[in-house]
PDB file of all heavy atoms in Angstrom:
ATOM      1  N   ALA A 159       3.038   6.382 -13.248  1.00 98.00           N
ATOM      2  CA  ALA A 159       2.228   5.464 -14.030  1.00 98.00           C
ATOM      3  C   ALA A 159       2.509   5.749 -15.526  1.00 98.00           C
ATOM      4  O   ALA A 159       2.876   6.833 -15.901  1.00 98.00           O
ATOM      5  CB  ALA A 159       0.744   5.660 -13.749  1.00 98.00           C
ATOM      6  N   HIS A 160       2.297   4.702 -16.306  1.00 97.00           N
ATOM      7  CA  HIS A 160       2.421   4.867 -17.789  1.00 97.00           C
ATOM      8  C   HIS A 160       1.170   5.517 -18.293  1.00 97.00           C
ATOM      9  O   HIS A 160       0.092   4.972 -18.177  1.00 97.00           O
ATOM     10  CB  HIS A 160       2.684   3.523 -18.417  1.00 97.00           C
ATOM     11  CG  HIS A 160       2.652   3.563 -19.917  1.00 97.00           C
ATOM     12  ND1 HIS A 160       3.450   4.444 -20.647  1.00 97.00           N
ATOM     13  CD2 HIS A 160       1.939   2.861 -20.819  1.00 97.00           C
ATOM     14  CE1 HIS A 160       3.188   4.274 -21.931  1.00 97.00           C
ATOM     15  NE2 HIS A 160       2.287   3.315 -22.110  1.00 97.00           N
ATOM     16  N   ILE A 161       1.258   6.759 -18.865  1.00 98.00           N
ATOM     17  CA  ILE A 161       0.087   7.429 -19.378  1.00 98.00           C
ATOM     18  C   ILE A 161      -0.086   6.909 -20.817  1.00 98.00           C
ATOM     19  O   ILE A 161       0.614   7.372 -21.727  1.00 98.00           O
ATOM     20  CB  ILE A 161       0.253   8.960 -19.371  1.00 98.00           C
ATOM     21  CG1 ILE A 161       0.611   9.463 -17.953  1.00 98.00           C
ATOM     22  CG2 ILE A 161      -1.044   9.666 -19.875  1.00 98.00           C
ATOM     23  CD1 ILE A 161      -0.462   9.365 -16.912  1.00 98.00           C
ATOM     24  N   THR A 162      -1.066   5.981 -21.021  1.00 98.00           N
ATOM     25  CA  THR A 162      -1.316   5.445 -22.326  1.00 98.00           C
ATOM     26  C   THR A 162      -2.044   6.501 -23.195  1.00 98.00           C
ATOM     27  O   THR A 162      -2.629   7.417 -22.643  1.00 98.00           O
ATOM     28  CB  THR A 162      -2.192   4.186 -22.216  1.00 98.00           C
ATOM     29  OG1 THR A 162      -3.472   4.610 -21.654  1.00 98.00           O
ATOM     30  CG2 THR A 162      -1.583   3.116 -21.316  1.00 98.00           C
ATOM     31  N   PRO A 163      -2.084   6.295 -24.506  1.00 98.00           N
ATOM     32  CA  PRO A 163      -2.867   7.176 -25.335  1.00 98.00           C
ATOM     33  C   PRO A 163      -4.322   7.258 -24.931  1.00 98.00           C
ATOM     34  O   PRO A 163      -4.982   8.282 -24.999  1.00 98.00           O
ATOM     35  CB  PRO A 163      -2.719   6.616 -26.778  1.00 98.00           C
ATOM     36  CG  PRO A 163      -1.415   5.869 -26.727  1.00 98.00           C
ATOM     37  CD  PRO A 163      -1.300   5.318 -25.322  1.00 98.00           C
ATOM     38  N   GLU A 164      -4.896   6.133 -24.446  1.00 98.00           N
ATOM     39  CA  GLU A 164      -6.297   6.101 -24.014  1.00 98.00           C
ATOM     40  C   GLU A 164      -6.480   7.026 -22.775  1.00 98.00           C
ATOM     41  O   GLU A 164      -7.406   7.796 -22.709  1.00 98.00           O
ATOM     42  CB  GLU A 164      -6.737   4.659 -23.642  1.00 98.00           C
ATOM     43  CG  GLU A 164      -6.917   3.713 -24.837  1.00 98.00           C
ATOM     44  CD  GLU A 164      -5.557   3.210 -25.357  1.00 98.00           C
ATOM     45  OE1 GLU A 164      -4.524   3.301 -24.644  1.00 98.00           O
ATOM     46  OE2 GLU A 164      -5.533   2.753 -26.545  1.00 98.00           O
ATOM     47  N   ILE A 165      -5.594   6.880 -21.814  1.00 98.00           N
ATOM     48  CA  ILE A 165      -5.680   7.736 -20.604  1.00 98.00           C
ATOM     49  C   ILE A 165      -5.472   9.199 -21.037  1.00 98.00           C
ATOM     50  O   ILE A 165      -6.228  10.080 -20.554  1.00 98.00           O
ATOM     51  CB  ILE A 165      -4.566   7.319 -19.576  1.00 98.00           C
ATOM     52  CG1 ILE A 165      -4.838   5.929 -19.037  1.00 98.00           C
ATOM     53  CG2 ILE A 165      -4.487   8.346 -18.434  1.00 98.00           C
ATOM     54  CD1 ILE A 165      -3.723   5.311 -18.142  1.00 98.00           C
ATOM     55  N   ALA A 166      -4.509   9.403 -21.907  1.00 98.00           N
ATOM     56  CA  ALA A 166      -4.256  10.812 -22.327  1.00 98.00           C
ATOM     57  C   ALA A 166      -5.460  11.411 -23.038  1.00 98.00           C
ATOM     58  O   ALA A 166      -5.780  12.567 -22.804  1.00 98.00           O
ATOM     59  CB  ALA A 166      -3.043  10.772 -23.299  1.00 98.00           C
ATOM     60  N   ASN A 167      -6.177  10.625 -23.844  1.00 98.00           N
ATOM     61  CA  ASN A 167      -7.363  11.167 -24.534  1.00 98.00           C
ATOM     62  C   ASN A 167      -8.447  11.514 -23.512  1.00 98.00           C
ATOM     63  O   ASN A 167      -9.124  12.533 -23.641  1.00 98.00           O
ATOM     64  CB  ASN A 167      -7.872  10.175 -25.574  1.00 98.00           C
ATOM     65  CG  ASN A 167      -7.169  10.334 -26.870  1.00 98.00           C
ATOM     66  OD1 ASN A 167      -6.821  11.459 -27.328  1.00 98.00           O
ATOM     67  ND2 ASN A 167      -6.859   9.230 -27.592  1.00 98.00           N
ATOM     68  N   CYS A 168      -8.682  10.665 -22.541  1.00 98.00           N
ATOM     69  CA  CYS A 168      -9.674  10.899 -21.493  1.00 98.00           C
ATOM     70  C   CYS A 168      -9.311  12.217 -20.755  1.00 98.00           C
ATOM     71  O   CYS A 168     -10.197  13.083 -20.522  1.00 98.00           O
ATOM     72  CB  CYS A 168      -9.746   9.748 -20.514  1.00 98.00           C
ATOM     73  SG  CYS A 168     -10.494   8.277 -21.148  1.00 98.00           S
ATOM     74  N   LEU A 169      -8.033  12.367 -20.401  1.00 98.00           N
ATOM     75  CA  LEU A 169      -7.678  13.550 -19.632  1.00 98.00           C
ATOM     76  C   LEU A 169      -7.691  14.818 -20.477  1.00 98.00           C
ATOM     77  O   LEU A 169      -8.020  15.900 -20.000  1.00 98.00           O
ATOM     78  CB  LEU A 169      -6.304  13.314 -18.966  1.00 98.00           C
ATOM     79  CG  LEU A 169      -6.273  12.268 -17.828  1.00 98.00           C
ATOM     80  CD1 LEU A 169      -4.875  11.978 -17.405  1.00 98.00           C
ATOM     81  CD2 LEU A 169      -7.143  12.752 -16.663  1.00 98.00           C
ATOM     82  N   PHE A 170      -7.239  14.707 -21.730  1.00 99.00           N
ATOM     83  CA  PHE A 170      -7.275  15.876 -22.598  1.00 99.00           C
ATOM     84  C   PHE A 170      -8.731  16.354 -22.759  1.00 99.00           C
ATOM     85  O   PHE A 170      -9.014  17.540 -22.712  1.00 99.00           O
ATOM     86  CB  PHE A 170      -6.666  15.578 -23.954  1.00 99.00           C
ATOM     87  CG  PHE A 170      -6.362  16.825 -24.766  1.00 99.00           C
ATOM     88  CD1 PHE A 170      -5.119  17.419 -24.680  1.00 99.00           C
ATOM     89  CD2 PHE A 170      -7.360  17.439 -25.503  1.00 99.00           C
ATOM     90  CE1 PHE A 170      -4.842  18.594 -25.405  1.00 99.00           C
ATOM     91  CE2 PHE A 170      -7.108  18.625 -26.195  1.00 99.00           C
ATOM     92  CZ  PHE A 170      -5.808  19.205 -26.168  1.00 99.00           C
TER      93      PHE A 170
END
Side-chain angles (χ1 to χ4, degrees):
H160 172 53
I161 307 290
T162 62
E164 289 76 19
I165 294 172
N167 275 323
C168 288
L169 290 173
F170 194 95

